[in-house]
Amino acid sequence: MPSALQPAGPLRHFLQFKDFTRDEILYVLERARVIKDKFKRYEPHRPMDDRTLAMVFEKASTRTRVSFEAGMYQMGGSVIHLNTTDSQLGRAEPIEDTARVVSRMVDLVMIRTFEQTRIERFASHSRVPVINGLTNEFHPCQILADIFTFIEHRNDITGKIVTWVGDANNMAYTWLQAAELIGFTLHVSAPVGYRLDPARIGNLSPGVLREFDNPHEACAGAHLVTTDVWTSMGYEAENEERAKAFAEWCVDSDMMSRAAPDAVFMHCLPAHRGEEVTGEVIDGPQSVVWDEAENRLHAQKALMEFLLLGRLA
Ligand code: CP
Ligand code: NVA
């Protein structure tokens, strides 16, 4: 099939977790399992012959870049990497014009940027699927990989308790969308000033969210404890005041001991040992952070396959 064609079905984007139905997320997770199994057996899986992914990075990245780039090459496709400094995006070319042009030449676009509205503007002028590789508001690819990792280790996440310790950031809001869509409970504990914004939460099903002042109490009975940096990309000017506000929001062995005995610990990485998590926890037996990082590769291969080729099974 020639490249740079629109996908066979209706144009779909993955800009936030709830862009997919529960059934679609579960399908992608099952495909991720199949694709990972093939990868581990060195069995080729190349449905992207002649397809091109453009990646636009307006913020730094290690995992997102390597996983999308390696994943696309492994599936037989090609990748183009753009950033703000070496493209016209850094010289004020409108994002809408960039979308119109880039999406005539490639089959799929992944963007890491600042405001969610920026990726939405790109998507609304794109002829091809657009994937959110992190915005200030959401990080849906990471949560896809995290849920895949939980399922690998503990079978099913439905009905479980996931505890978020720390900043109500892009990761926390994406966990919340996932909890509502998939059906599990999210415990959130953040310092005053860094909590979830009720205006953004909207209407949730009963039992989806419980908020706690005390992060230790938030971990009680959790099947998964997870956290993230105190200062996300783009907020570096607040570093000092955040370090003070978050001092008690460090996942430690006391928090893990209050969780379920078989609880796992996750962190999207990069991590700062001694800030949001102790070395003892992130490097300890309950931590699955390296599987979690690897699973970005497998989950995103399944996501790209679904967006371009639809359901294969
Ligand atoms: N977790 C994650 O998205 O990592 P990078 O910032 O390295 O891409
Ligand atoms: N919340 C972090 C995640 C980094 C992968 C950030 O936005 O910087």
Side-chain angles (χ1 to χ4, degrees):
M1 186 182 283
S3 64
L5 284 178
Q6 293 181 35
L11 180 57
R12 298 289 302 276
H13 305 296
F14 191 56
L15 306 185
Q16 42 185 303
F17 205 81
K18 67 175 191 188
D19 283 346
F20 282 16
T21 64
R22 181 178 196 274
D23 185 52
E24 286 168 340
I25 293 284
L26 297 181
Y27 169 79
V28 171
L29 294 172
E30 173 53 20
R31 283 300 294 170
R33 189 190 62 75
V34 170
I35 290 168
K36 181 172 182 176
D37 285 352
K38 288 174 97 174
F39 179 80
K40 296 292 177 185
R41 291 197 301 268
Y42 294 95
E43 207 178 293
H45 179 69
R46 298 212 175 89
M48 297 291 171
D49 181 33
D50 239 354
R51 300 298 184 119
T52 308
L53 165 72
M55 301 194 295
V56 181
F57 282 98
E58 298 194 304
K59 289 176 178 172
S61 169
T62 298
R63 279 145 288 269
T64 302
R65 176 168 179 185
V66 175
S67 54
F68 271 105
E69 193 159 336
M72 195 60 177
Y73 284 127
Q74 288 161 13
M75 291 198 293
S78 317
V79 180
I80 296 168
H81 179 256
L82 298 170
N83 61 40
T84 318
T85 45
D86 66 14
S87 72
Q88 300 288 4
L89 278 167
R91 298 181 61 250
E93 179 164 16
I95 193 93
E96 291 82 357
D97 291 357
T98 308
R100 288 180 176 109
V101 172
V102 171
S103 72
R104 282 179 178 237
M105 300 179 186
V106 305
D107 303 276
L108 195 58
V109 178
M110 189 286 305
I111 307 182
R112 168 167 286 196
T113 187
F114 292 87
E115 298 79 21
Q116 185 74 8
T117 51
R118 197 162 162 76
I119 196 170
E120 284 167 0
R121 283 163 57 204
F122 190 106
S124 64
H125 293 83
S126 173
R127 289 183 166 196
V128 301
V130 178
I131 298 171
N132 182 347
L134 182 147
T135 57
N136 291 349
E137 287 85 352
F138 298 112
H139 197 2
C141 292
Q142 182 70 53
I143 302 304
L144 197 62
D146 290 7
I147 294 175
F148 178 61
T149 307
F150 188 87
I151 292 171
E152 266 192 328
H153 282 268
R154 296 289 179 263
N155 199 28
D156 189 2
I157 199 165
T158 313
K160 299 286 198 313
I161 298 173
V162 174
T163 295
W164 178 264
V165 175
D167 193 18
N169 62 12
N170 42 12
M171 286 287 296
Y173 279 100
T174 312
W175 269 116
L176 190 56
Q177 286 195 346
E180 174 73 33
L181 193 71
I182 308 283
F184 56 87
T185 298
L186 186 68
H187 287 184
V188 175
S189 177
V192 174
Y194 301 93
R195 294 183 176 172
L196 293 165
D197 175 1
R200 269 193 72 189
I201 294 175
N203 289 331
L204 293 171
S205 303
V208 165
L209 174 66
R210 281 189 68 193
E211 294 182 85
F212 296 77
D213 294 337
N214 183 321
H216 296 263
E217 286 169 16
C219 292
H223 302 97
L224 162 60
V225 177
T226 185
T227 187
D228 190 7
V229 290
W230 290 342
T231 305
S232 286
M233 290 181 278
Y235 299 85
E236 289 80 2
E238 302 172 13
N239 249 335
E240 226 170 283
E241 59 189 272
R242 283 172 172 266
K244 284 185 203 137
F246 283 94
E248 304 301 319
W249 276 262
C250 171
V251 177
D252 59 14
S253 44
D254 176 74
M255 291 187 199
M256 293 307 295
S257 73
R258 293 173 189 238
D262 67 345
V264 292
F265 171 78
M266 289 191 197
H267 190 310
C268 64
L269 306 176
H272 298 97
R273 288 168 178 78
E275 293 188 9
E276 73 275 7
V277 60
T278 62
E280 197 182 6
V281 169
I282 196 169
D283 299 315
Q286 288 170 284
S287 174
V288 295
V289 298
W290 311 121
D291 289 341
E292 180 188 3
E294 176 189 327
N295 282 337
R296 294 289 302 278
L297 173 72
H298 312 298
Q300 289 158 196
K301 284 163 89 171
L303 173 66
M304 291 192 281
E305 185 193 82
F306 178 69
L307 285 170
L308 277 184
L309 306 174
R311 290 183 191 245
L312 300 185

